[in-house]
Amino acid sequence: MKKDYSQIISRVYADILTRENCGKVPDYIPELACIGENKFGVSFTDLSGFSYGAGDCSEKFSVQSISKVFALSFVYEKLGEELWQRVDVEPSGTAFNSLVQLEADHGIPRNPFINAGALVICDILLEICKDPKQEMLAFICAVAGEDSVFFNEKVAASEMQNSYRNAAMTNYMKSFGNIKSQPDAVIDLYCHLCSIELSCRQLSKSFLYLANGGRIPGSETHVISISKAKRINAILLTCGFYDESGEFSFLVGLPGKSGVGGGIIALYPEHYCIAVWSPKLNEKGNSYRGMKFLEEFTTQTAESIF
Ligand code: GLN
């Protein structure tokens, strides 16, 4: 019998709502600190197009680091394996904005999902695209099946004004020759990509290509090859939650990615994507309720990639 995902989602959503909402909305990007901390949305979309949502699932929020997955997909498909000369695929075991490993690693970031790695990806975008911002928006529109996706200029500006750490990383990597463009241009692109806004509904749809061997379901469009989709999913599993990646894998058992806007996307290859949004973050910078919801969801579905 087909599993009733809608019923499981409703049940788990109601259960999580009765529990305390712990954690903190980040204030180092001042614009993000204004978001209602009790917002809570969930959206599930499977490869057949069936979709089910709960709570604030249609409200757009700042996807922040989740956009690192779109940027990686775009660059990896264009550059191929040559990409890995500039960024590694090892879990860092450190915070998303940590600088400590860059010196020992000679300016090569541990993976594309920590800030240092995403900054290198942005640098590559500046090299290979005529108009990287517009090309990334077009890429996200294509995978999300939307006519338009926007940057939130206020959020981007708010982060730019407080980008001391990202500036430190970019300049440091430039000293090793691993950043080619001017650091300001790299940081500007990075902050804009982080500021993209999508709802849980849009997010759960936009990640289906990764659950579907790189192809947008219902179309012939291969966004990335099967092999690349498998590899990105592997990096999501090992690096998608910074120094909480092991914990996410242990408790949830799906590849996924978080952002400091409070969003989490997780995917079950060949089956579905599920997006959760709740702005309060735990001490590792991942959505507190998002983690709890997904842990309970995969417990109740009894499904994981393991
Ligand atoms: N824009 C955020 C930053 O660089 C993204 C971090 C995140 O979502 N984990 O700090």
Side-chain angles (χ1 to χ4, degrees), residues 199-264:
S199 66
C200 286
R201 275 192 194 285
Q202 293 171 313
L203 207 51
S204 63
K205 194 172 168 205
S206 66
F207 267 69
L208 289 177
Y209 71 97
L210 285 173
N212 193 41
R215 185 172 58 82
I216 299 173
S219 86
E220 290 310 312
T221 311
H222 258 279
V223 176
I224 48 171
S225 69
I226 296 180
S227 155
K228 291 192 181 89
K230 279 195 295 187
R231 288 179 167 195
I232 291 177
N233 290 344
I235 312 172
L236 285 170
L237 186 76
T238 52
C239 311
F241 296 81
Y242 321 110
D243 45 342
E244 205 172 22
S245 299
E247 187 86 354
F248 190 81
S249 174
F250 181 72
L251 296 174
V252 179
L254 299 174
K257 183 78 200 81
S258 63
V260 290
I264 298 182

Side-chain angles (χ1 to χ4, degrees), residues 35-36 39-42 54-63 197-203 277 279:
I35 310 296
K39 296 280 180 189
F40 185 25
V42 177
D56 302 310
C57 60
S58 300
E59 187 167 332
K60 291 189 185 190
F61 61 94
S62 195
V63 301
E197 295 189 323
L198 293 171
S199 66
C200 286
R201 275 192 194 285
Q202 293 171 313
L203 207 51
W277 172 48

